[in-house]
C-alpha cells in the first residue's frame, strides 16, 4: 500500500488528478471506475481543468460507477447518475456510449447486476478504481458485514449512511434505503485502487482500514488484500495512523 499524506484537500485533489491523468495519458482507452460523494469533487474539478487548459483527452475512456440508489431515475438530482454528469462527465469529452452507471430503476436487479459485472469483464476489467470511504468504513455501498468477496448486488444502507447522506436530501426520510453497488470482490478485481480521504471524520475508518485487522465489519480493510493500492490522505484523515506507509512498507512513527 502506498500512502501519501498531504497538507490539505486541495493538494490531495491535485495529486489524485495527476495520478488519474497519468493513467489516461499512458493508456487513452483505459477503463476507470468512478465514485460519487464529496471526497472526489476536488479531483473531478482538477480533471475538468486539465481537460480545458491542457487538453487532457477522455474520449477513449470507458467508465463504470460504483453505485446508485435504487428507485432514483438518472434525471433525479440526487441520483449518482445525475451527480456524475453534473460534476464531471458533462464538462469533459467522455464518449457517453462508454459511460456506465448502475441504473436504479431496473426491474430485475439481480440480472442487471450480473450483466454489469459481465460488461466490466468484457472490456478487460478495470485499470483503476477511484474510492472514497464512509465514516463507518464502507467502500461503495458495501456496508459493514458485507462479504469480502461480494459482487455487484442490491444492498441495504445502514442507518448511519442514511443519516450521513441526508445532507443532500430535503430530509432523511427521502434517502433511499437500498442501492445497487459493486461488491468488495468486484472492487478488488480492479488492477489498481485509488482511495481518497479527507477530514478528521474519516480518521477512525482510515486507521482501521489500513492498520486494523482484515474484517468484513470494516470493508475498507479489504484494501489490504489488494496488491496495488494508492491512498491519498490529508493530515486530518491520517491523524489516527500509527505507522508511516510508503512503498508497501509500514514503519512506526517517531
Ligand atoms: C460513493 C460511494 C461512497 C462514498 C463514501 C464517502 O460512490 O460509494 O462509498 O465514497 O460514502 O462519501 P463522502 O466522499 O461524501 O464522504
Amino acid at each position: 500500500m502506498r500512502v501519501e499524506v498531504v497538507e490539505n484537500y486541495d493538494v490531495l485533489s491535485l495529486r489524485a488528478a495527476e495520478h488519474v491523468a497519468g493513467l489516461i495519458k499512458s493508456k487513452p482507452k483505459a477503463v476507470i471506475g468512478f465514485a460519487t460523494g464529496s471526497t472526489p469533487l476536488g479531483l473531478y474539478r482538477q480533471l475538468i481543468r486539465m481537460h480545458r487548459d491542457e487538453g487532457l483527452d477522455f474520449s477513449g475512456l470507458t467508465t463504470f460507477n460504483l453505485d446508485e440508489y435504487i428507485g432514483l431515475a438518472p434525471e433525479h438530482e440526487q441520483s449518482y447518475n445525475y451527480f456524475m454528469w453534473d460534476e464531471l462527465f458533462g464538462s469533459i469529452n467522455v464518449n457517453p456510449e462508454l459511460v456506465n452507471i448502475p441504473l436504479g430503476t431496473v426491474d430485475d436487479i439481480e440480472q442487471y447486476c450480473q450483466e454489469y459485472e459481465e460488461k466490466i469483464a468484457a472490456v478487460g476489467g478495470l485499470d483503476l478504481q477511484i474510492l472514497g470511504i464512509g465514516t463507518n468504513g464502507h467502500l461503495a455501498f458495501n456496508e459493514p458485514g458485507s462479504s469480502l468477496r461480494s459482487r455487484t448486488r442490491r444492498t441495504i444502507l445502514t442507518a448511519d449512511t442514511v443519516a450521513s447522506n441526508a445532507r443532500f436530501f430535503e430530509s432523511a426520510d427521502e434517502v433511499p434505503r437500498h442501492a445497487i453497488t459493486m461488491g468488495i470482490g468486484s472492487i478488488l478485481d480492479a488492477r489498481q485502487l485509488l482511495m481518497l480521504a479527507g477530514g478528521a471524520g474519516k480518521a477512525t475508518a482510515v486507521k482501521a482500514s489500513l492498520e486494523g485487522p482484515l474484517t468484513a465489519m470494516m470493508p475498507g480493510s479489504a484494501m489490504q488484500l489488494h496488491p496495488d493500492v494508492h491512498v491519498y490522505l490529508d493530515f486530518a484523515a491520517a491523524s489516527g495512523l500509527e505507522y508511516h506507509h510508503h512503498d508497501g512498507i509500514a514503519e512506526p512513527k517517531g
Side-chain angles (χ1 to χ4, degrees):
M1 221 180 257
R2 284 152 205 269
V3 182
E4 200 173 316
V5 182
V6 299
E7 55 268 43
N8 59 41
Y9 179 71
D10 288 345
V11 181
L12 178 155
S13 300
L14 182 60
R15 296 287 298 115
E18 284 165 349
H19 190 113
V20 175
L23 169 64
I24 296 170
K25 283 177 196 160
S26 68
K27 191 173 181 186
K29 292 192 172 175
V31 183
I32 298 187
F34 285 88
T36 55
S38 305
T39 311
L41 282 175
L43 155 65
Y44 296 164
R45 277 193 286 269
Q46 286 293 341
L47 291 177
I48 292 168
R49 182 192 58 76
M50 288 171 173
H51 171 63
R52 194 187 55 223
D53 299 347
E54 298 164 18
L56 184 62
D57 181 13
F58 294 86
S59 62
L61 218 61
T62 300
T63 77
F64 286 89
N65 259 76
L66 284 172
D67 43 17
E68 178 61 285
Y69 291 116
I70 289 178
L72 299 195
E75 52 277 3
H76 189 290
E77 286 192 17
Q78 299 310 332
S79 76
Y80 285 171
N81 197 304
Y82 188 97
F83 174 102
M84 286 310 299
W85 283 97
D86 198 36
E87 301 289 355
L88 180 64
F89 295 152
S91 303
I92 57 177
N93 66 333
V94 279
N95 178 347
E97 288 180 12
L98 302 180
V99 169
N100 299 280
I101 305 171
L103 188 58
T105 50
V106 283
D107 288 332
D108 190 339
I109 294 176
E110 211 172 308
Q111 164 94 10
Y112 180 80
C113 291
Q114 195 180 326
E115 284 169 8
Y116 200 73
E117 293 263 346
E118 285 164 6
K119 229 171 171 182
I120 296 174
V123 294
L126 296 163
D127 291 301
L128 176 76
Q129 176 63 59
I130 298 165
L131 295 168
I133 188 165
T135 49
N136 67 357
H138 72 205
L139 293 183
F141 275 136
N142 295 286
E143 300 285 25
S146 298
S147 158
L148 298 178
R149 297 185 71 167
S150 51
R151 310 302 307 187
T152 303
R153 70 199 187 289
R154 173 194 191 107
T155 50
I156 304 173
L157 275 53
T158 57
D160 49 355
T161 296
V162 170
S164 162
N165 290 5
R167 67 192 194 275
F168 301 111
F169 292 81
E170 298 268 303
S171 74
D173 291 344
E174 285 183 28
V175 185
R177 268 31 182 192
H178 297 91
I180 291 175
T181 185
M182 279 170 58
I184 297 177
S186 332
I187 291 168
L188 292 179
D189 281 350
R191 281 182 280 284
Q192 190 176 73
L193 303 181
L194 178 65
M195 205 280 275
L196 315 178
K202 300 292 172 70
T204 306
V206 166
K207 189 209 168 352
S209 297
L210 271 53
E211 297 178 345
L214 174 66
T215 166
M217 294 314 291
M218 179 49 61
S221 68
M223 291 187 294
Q224 295 172 26
L225 292 169
H226 195 282
D228 191 8
V229 186
H230 293 252
V231 181
Y232 291 96
L233 306 171
D234 67 7
F235 287 162
S239 58
L241 294 176
E242 286 172 34
Y243 291 79
H244 288 300
H245 301 256
H246 52 86
D247 297 341
I249 298 166
E251 188 186 327
K253 282 182 182 168

PDB file of all heavy atoms in Angstrom, residues 34-40 65-67 80 131-134 138-141 165 167-168 202, ligand 1:
ATOM      1  N   PHE A  34     -15.395   5.085 -11.302  1.00  0.00           N
ATOM      2  CA  PHE A  34     -15.566   6.370 -10.617  1.00  0.00           C
ATOM      3  C   PHE A  34     -16.442   6.223  -9.377  1.00  0.00           C
ATOM      4  O   PHE A  34     -17.254   5.310  -9.276  1.00  0.00           O
ATOM      5  CB  PHE A  34     -16.184   7.395 -11.577  1.00  0.00           C
ATOM      6  CG  PHE A  34     -15.194   7.902 -12.589  1.00  0.00           C
ATOM      7  CD1 PHE A  34     -15.010   7.243 -13.797  1.00  0.00           C
ATOM      8  CD2 PHE A  34     -14.419   9.022 -12.320  1.00  0.00           C
ATOM      9  CE1 PHE A  34     -14.078   7.697 -14.726  1.00  0.00           C
ATOM     10  CE2 PHE A  34     -13.486   9.487 -13.236  1.00  0.00           C
ATOM     11  CZ  PHE A  34     -13.318   8.819 -14.449  1.00  0.00           C
ATOM     12  N   ALA A  35     -16.247   7.162  -8.460  1.00  0.00           N
ATOM     13  CA  ALA A  35     -17.020   7.197  -7.217  1.00  0.00           C
ATOM     14  C   ALA A  35     -17.768   8.520  -7.145  1.00  0.00           C
ATOM     15  O   ALA A  35     -17.387   9.496  -7.790  1.00  0.00           O
ATOM     16  CB  ALA A  35     -16.081   7.072  -6.019  1.00  0.00           C
ATOM     17  N   THR A  36     -18.813   8.547  -6.356  1.00  0.00           N
ATOM     18  CA  THR A  36     -19.509   9.804  -6.092  1.00  0.00           C
ATOM     19  C   THR A  36     -19.158  10.254  -4.674  1.00  0.00           C
ATOM     20  O   THR A  36     -18.170   9.813  -4.111  1.00  0.00           O
ATOM     21  CB  THR A  36     -21.033   9.629  -6.281  1.00  0.00           C
ATOM     22  OG1 THR A  36     -21.453   8.559  -5.452  1.00  0.00           O
ATOM     23  CG2 THR A  36     -21.359   9.332  -7.725  1.00  0.00           C
ATOM     24  N   GLY A  37     -19.957  11.127  -4.101  1.00  0.00           N
ATOM     25  CA  GLY A  37     -19.674  11.634  -2.754  1.00  0.00           C
ATOM     26  C   GLY A  37     -18.901  12.937  -2.813  1.00  0.00           C
ATOM     27  O   GLY A  37     -18.504  13.401  -3.887  1.00  0.00           O
ATOM     28  N   SER A  38     -18.666  13.514  -1.654  1.00  0.00           N
ATOM     29  CA  SER A  38     -17.983  14.814  -1.581  1.00  0.00           C
ATOM     30  C   SER A  38     -16.486  14.684  -1.855  1.00  0.00           C
ATOM     31  O   SER A  38     -15.873  15.586  -2.428  1.00  0.00           O
ATOM     32  CB  SER A  38     -18.153  15.428  -0.191  1.00  0.00           C
ATOM     33  OG  SER A  38     -19.502  15.506   0.137  1.00  0.00           O
ATOM     34  N   THR A  39     -15.909  13.581  -1.435  1.00  0.00           N
ATOM     35  CA  THR A  39     -14.445  13.470  -1.477  1.00  0.00           C
ATOM     36  C   THR A  39     -13.839  13.649  -2.867  1.00  0.00           C
ATOM     37  O   THR A  39     -12.868  14.400  -3.011  1.00  0.00           O
ATOM     38  CB  THR A  39     -13.992  12.128  -0.857  1.00  0.00           C
ATOM     39  OG1 THR A  39     -14.652  11.989   0.410  1.00  0.00           O
ATOM     40  CG2 THR A  39     -12.488  12.092  -0.668  1.00  0.00           C
ATOM     41  N   PRO A  40     -14.367  13.005  -3.916  1.00  0.00           N
ATOM     42  CA  PRO A  40     -13.694  13.151  -5.223  1.00  0.00           C
ATOM     43  C   PRO A  40     -14.021  14.441  -5.969  1.00  0.00           C
ATOM     44  O   PRO A  40     -13.524  14.636  -7.085  1.00  0.00           O
ATOM     45  CB  PRO A  40     -14.163  11.920  -6.008  1.00  0.00           C
ATOM     46  CG  PRO A  40     -15.430  11.500  -5.376  1.00  0.00           C
ATOM     47  CD  PRO A  40     -15.445  12.009  -3.968  1.00  0.00           C
ATOM     48  N   ASN A  65     -19.341   3.305 -12.824  1.00  0.00           N
ATOM     49  CA  ASN A  65     -19.506   3.855 -11.478  1.00  0.00           C
ATOM     50  C   ASN A  65     -19.794   2.763 -10.459  1.00  0.00           C
ATOM     51  O   ASN A  65     -20.281   1.694 -10.796  1.00  0.00           O
ATOM     52  CB  ASN A  65     -20.607   4.921 -11.449  1.00  0.00           C
ATOM     53  CG  ASN A  65     -20.006   6.306 -11.470  1.00  0.00           C
ATOM     54  OD1 ASN A  65     -19.553   6.756 -12.524  1.00  0.00           O
ATOM     55  ND2 ASN A  65     -19.966   6.961 -10.319  1.00  0.00           N
ATOM     56  N   LEU A  66     -19.450   3.081  -9.224  1.00  0.00           N
ATOM     57  CA  LEU A  66     -19.555   2.093  -8.152  1.00  0.00           C
ATOM     58  C   LEU A  66     -20.979   1.741  -7.763  1.00  0.00           C
ATOM     59  O   LEU A  66     -21.264   0.594  -7.445  1.00  0.00           O
ATOM     60  CB  LEU A  66     -18.897   2.653  -6.878  1.00  0.00           C
ATOM     61  CG  LEU A  66     -17.385   2.677  -6.786  1.00  0.00           C
ATOM     62  CD1 LEU A  66     -16.965   3.452  -5.538  1.00  0.00           C
ATOM     63  CD2 LEU A  66     -16.843   1.249  -6.718  1.00  0.00           C
ATOM     64  N   ASP A  67     -21.842   2.764  -7.746  1.00  0.00           N
ATOM     65  CA  ASP A  67     -23.131   2.503  -7.105  1.00  0.00           C
ATOM     66  C   ASP A  67     -24.200   3.503  -7.523  1.00  0.00           C
ATOM     67  O   ASP A  67     -23.911   4.526  -8.148  1.00  0.00           O
ATOM     68  CB  ASP A  67     -22.978   2.487  -5.570  1.00  0.00           C
ATOM     69  CG  ASP A  67     -22.081   3.615  -5.034  1.00  0.00           C
ATOM     70  OD1 ASP A  67     -21.833   4.582  -5.776  1.00  0.00           O
ATOM     71  OD2 ASP A  67     -21.642   3.527  -3.881  1.00  0.00           O
ATOM     72  N   TYR A  80     -26.913   9.257  -8.454  1.00  0.00           N
ATOM     73  CA  TYR A  80     -25.466   9.303  -8.719  1.00  0.00           C
ATOM     74  C   TYR A  80     -25.200   9.491 -10.208  1.00  0.00           C
ATOM     75  O   TYR A  80     -24.155  10.006 -10.601  1.00  0.00           O
ATOM     76  CB  TYR A  80     -24.795   8.049  -8.160  1.00  0.00           C
ATOM     77  CG  TYR A  80     -24.662   8.095  -6.645  1.00  0.00           C
ATOM     78  CD1 TYR A  80     -24.255   6.980  -5.919  1.00  0.00           C
ATOM     79  CD2 TYR A  80     -24.942   9.257  -5.928  1.00  0.00           C
ATOM     80  CE1 TYR A  80     -24.121   7.032  -4.541  1.00  0.00           C
ATOM     81  CE2 TYR A  80     -24.813   9.315  -4.551  1.00  0.00           C
ATOM     82  CZ  TYR A  80     -24.395   8.198  -3.865  1.00  0.00           C
ATOM     83  OH  TYR A  80     -24.248   8.259  -2.499  1.00  0.00           O
ATOM     84  N   LEU A 131     -11.893   5.424  -5.156  1.00  0.00           N
ATOM     85  CA  LEU A 131     -12.719   5.112  -3.985  1.00  0.00           C
ATOM     86  C   LEU A 131     -12.696   6.230  -2.961  1.00  0.00           C
ATOM     87  O   LEU A 131     -11.641   6.840  -2.724  1.00  0.00           O
ATOM     88  CB  LEU A 131     -12.180   3.863  -3.271  1.00  0.00           C
ATOM     89  CG  LEU A 131     -12.212   2.526  -3.994  1.00  0.00           C
ATOM     90  CD1 LEU A 131     -11.369   1.510  -3.218  1.00  0.00           C
ATOM     91  CD2 LEU A 131     -13.643   2.036  -4.149  1.00  0.00           C
ATOM     92  N   GLY A 132     -13.839   6.463  -2.326  1.00  0.00           N
ATOM     93  CA  GLY A 132     -13.866   7.198  -1.069  1.00  0.00           C
ATOM     94  C   GLY A 132     -14.120   6.170   0.016  1.00  0.00           C
ATOM     95  O   GLY A 132     -14.199   4.970  -0.269  1.00  0.00           O
ATOM     96  N   ILE A 133     -14.257   6.627   1.227  1.00  0.00           N
ATOM     97  CA  ILE A 133     -14.580   5.685   2.308  1.00  0.00           C
ATOM     98  C   ILE A 133     -15.599   6.331   3.238  1.00  0.00           C
ATOM     99  O   ILE A 133     -15.529   7.541   3.502  1.00  0.00           O
ATOM    100  CB  ILE A 133     -13.295   5.242   3.066  1.00  0.00           C
ATOM    101  CG1 ILE A 133     -13.615   4.119   4.053  1.00  0.00           C
ATOM    102  CG2 ILE A 133     -12.601   6.427   3.761  1.00  0.00           C
ATOM    103  CD1 ILE A 133     -12.382   3.380   4.562  1.00  0.00           C
ATOM    104  N   GLY A 134     -16.555   5.531   3.700  1.00  0.00           N
ATOM    105  CA  GLY A 134     -17.551   6.063   4.633  1.00  0.00           C
ATOM    106  C   GLY A 134     -16.963   6.207   6.031  1.00  0.00           C
ATOM    107  O   GLY A 134     -15.953   5.572   6.353  1.00  0.00           O
ATOM    108  N   HIS A 138     -17.364   1.942   5.029  1.00  0.00           N
ATOM    109  CA  HIS A 138     -17.881   1.302   3.809  1.00  0.00           C
ATOM    110  C   HIS A 138     -17.097   1.734   2.567  1.00  0.00           C
ATOM    111  O   HIS A 138     -16.558   2.831   2.493  1.00  0.00           O
ATOM    112  CB  HIS A 138     -19.391   1.520   3.649  1.00  0.00           C
ATOM    113  CG  HIS A 138     -19.838   2.903   3.282  1.00  0.00           C
ATOM    114  ND1 HIS A 138     -21.086   3.393   3.567  1.00  0.00           N
ATOM    115  CD2 HIS A 138     -19.211   3.921   2.631  1.00  0.00           C
ATOM    116  CE1 HIS A 138     -21.216   4.616   3.107  1.00  0.00           C
ATOM    117  NE2 HIS A 138     -20.084   4.965   2.539  1.00  0.00           N
ATOM    118  N   LEU A 139     -17.018   0.804   1.628  1.00  0.00           N
ATOM    119  CA  LEU A 139     -16.478   1.078   0.296  1.00  0.00           C
ATOM    120  C   LEU A 139     -17.657   0.931  -0.653  1.00  0.00           C
ATOM    121  O   LEU A 139     -18.354  -0.090  -0.616  1.00  0.00           O
ATOM    122  CB  LEU A 139     -15.400   0.060  -0.101  1.00  0.00           C
ATOM    123  CG  LEU A 139     -14.095   0.065   0.678  1.00  0.00           C
ATOM    124  CD1 LEU A 139     -13.133  -0.978   0.080  1.00  0.00           C
ATOM    125  CD2 LEU A 139     -13.426   1.432   0.698  1.00  0.00           C
ATOM    126  N   ALA A 140     -17.860   1.912  -1.528  1.00  0.00           N
ATOM    127  CA  ALA A 140     -19.103   1.982  -2.306  1.00  0.00           C
ATOM    128  C   ALA A 140     -20.252   1.857  -1.298  1.00  0.00           C
ATOM    129  O   ALA A 140     -20.180   2.443  -0.220  1.00  0.00           O
ATOM    130  CB  ALA A 140     -19.124   0.925  -3.403  1.00  0.00           C
ATOM    131  N   PHE A 141     -21.271   1.050  -1.587  1.00  0.00           N
ATOM    132  CA  PHE A 141     -22.317   0.851  -0.570  1.00  0.00           C
ATOM    133  C   PHE A 141     -22.179  -0.535   0.050  1.00  0.00           C
ATOM    134  O   PHE A 141     -23.164  -1.153   0.443  1.00  0.00           O
ATOM    135  CB  PHE A 141     -23.705   1.081  -1.161  1.00  0.00           C
ATOM    136  CG  PHE A 141     -24.116   2.535  -1.163  1.00  0.00           C
ATOM    137  CD1 PHE A 141     -24.712   3.100  -2.272  1.00  0.00           C
ATOM    138  CD2 PHE A 141     -23.924   3.338  -0.043  1.00  0.00           C
ATOM    139  CE1 PHE A 141     -25.107   4.439  -2.278  1.00  0.00           C
ATOM    140  CE2 PHE A 141     -24.307   4.681  -0.035  1.00  0.00           C
ATOM    141  CZ  PHE A 141     -24.898   5.230  -1.149  1.00  0.00           C
ATOM    142  N   ASN A 165     -25.941  10.713   4.442  1.00  0.00           N
ATOM    143  CA  ASN A 165     -26.304  11.154   3.085  1.00  0.00           C
ATOM    144  C   ASN A 165     -27.542  12.043   3.068  1.00  0.00           C
ATOM    145  O   ASN A 165     -27.871  12.633   2.036  1.00  0.00           O
ATOM    146  CB  ASN A 165     -26.500   9.937   2.180  1.00  0.00           C
ATOM    147  CG  ASN A 165     -25.162   9.255   1.888  1.00  0.00           C
ATOM    148  OD1 ASN A 165     -24.146   9.647   2.437  1.00  0.00           O
ATOM    149  ND2 ASN A 165     -25.172   8.257   1.043  1.00  0.00           N
ATOM    150  N   ARG A 167     -27.781  14.832   4.112  1.00  0.00           N
ATOM    151  CA  ARG A 167     -27.402  16.222   3.850  1.00  0.00           C
ATOM    152  C   ARG A 167     -27.717  16.651   2.412  1.00  0.00           C
ATOM    153  O   ARG A 167     -27.829  17.839   2.143  1.00  0.00           O
ATOM    154  CB  ARG A 167     -25.919  16.455   4.177  1.00  0.00           C
ATOM    155  CG  ARG A 167     -24.906  15.741   3.287  1.00  0.00           C
ATOM    156  CD  ARG A 167     -23.500  15.840   3.930  1.00  0.00           C
ATOM    157  NE  ARG A 167     -22.389  15.486   3.052  1.00  0.00           N
ATOM    158  CZ  ARG A 167     -21.954  14.242   2.851  1.00  0.00           C
ATOM    159  NH1 ARG A 167     -22.545  13.214   3.448  1.00  0.00           N
ATOM    160  NH2 ARG A 167     -20.907  14.032   2.060  1.00  0.00           N
ATOM    161  N   PHE A 168     -27.848  15.696   1.522  1.00  0.00           N
ATOM    162  CA  PHE A 168     -28.141  16.033   0.125  1.00  0.00           C
ATOM    163  C   PHE A 168     -29.643  16.030  -0.186  1.00  0.00           C
ATOM    164  O   PHE A 168     -30.062  16.398  -1.269  1.00  0.00           O
ATOM    165  CB  PHE A 168     -27.446  15.041  -0.811  1.00  0.00           C
ATOM    166  CG  PHE A 168     -25.950  15.028  -0.631  1.00  0.00           C
ATOM    167  CD1 PHE A 168     -25.311  13.922  -0.083  1.00  0.00           C
ATOM    168  CD2 PHE A 168     -25.190  16.129  -0.985  1.00  0.00           C
ATOM    169  CE1 PHE A 168     -23.933  13.909   0.094  1.00  0.00           C
ATOM    170  CE2 PHE A 168     -23.812  16.121  -0.815  1.00  0.00           C
ATOM    171  CZ  PHE A 168     -23.187  15.017  -0.270  1.00  0.00           C
ATOM    172  N   LYS A 202     -12.918  11.013   8.948  1.00  0.00           N
ATOM    173  CA  LYS A 202     -12.536   9.745   8.304  1.00  0.00           C
ATOM    174  C   LYS A 202     -11.369   9.056   9.013  1.00  0.00           C
ATOM    175  O   LYS A 202     -10.966   7.960   8.636  1.00  0.00           O
ATOM    176  CB  LYS A 202     -12.149   9.997   6.833  1.00  0.00           C
ATOM    177  CG  LYS A 202     -13.260  10.595   5.973  1.00  0.00           C
ATOM    178  CD  LYS A 202     -14.381   9.603   5.764  1.00  0.00           C
ATOM    179  CE  LYS A 202     -15.598  10.211   5.080  1.00  0.00           C
ATOM    180  NZ  LYS A 202     -15.401  10.554   3.693  1.00  0.00           N
TER     181      LYS A 202
HETATM  182  C1  LIG B   1     -19.674   6.859  -3.493  1.00  0.00           C
HETATM  183  C2  LIG B   1     -19.565   5.782  -2.530  1.00  0.00           C
HETATM  184  C3  LIG B   1     -19.378   6.005  -1.064  1.00  0.00           C
HETATM  185  C4  LIG B   1     -18.546   7.214  -0.688  1.00  0.00           C
HETATM  186  C5  LIG B   1     -18.416   7.336   0.812  1.00  0.00           C
HETATM  187  C6  LIG B   1     -17.712   8.612   1.223  1.00  0.00           C
HETATM  188  O1  LIG B   1     -19.837   6.338  -4.807  1.00  0.00           O
HETATM  189  O2  LIG B   1     -19.640   4.702  -2.956  1.00  0.00           O
HETATM  190  O3  LIG B   1     -18.795   4.854  -0.518  1.00  0.00           O
HETATM  191  O4  LIG B   1     -17.279   7.107  -1.272  1.00  0.00           O
HETATM  192  O5  LIG B   1     -19.684   7.313   1.413  1.00  0.00           O
HETATM  193  O6  LIG B   1     -18.535   9.685   0.913  1.00  0.00           O
HETATM  194  P1  LIG B   1     -18.002  11.181   1.011  1.00  0.00           P
HETATM  195  O7  LIG B   1     -16.921  11.313  -0.004  1.00  0.00           O
HETATM  196  O8  LIG B   1     -19.198  12.038   0.686  1.00  0.00           O
HETATM  197  O9  LIG B   1     -17.506  11.363   2.393  1.00  0.00           O
END
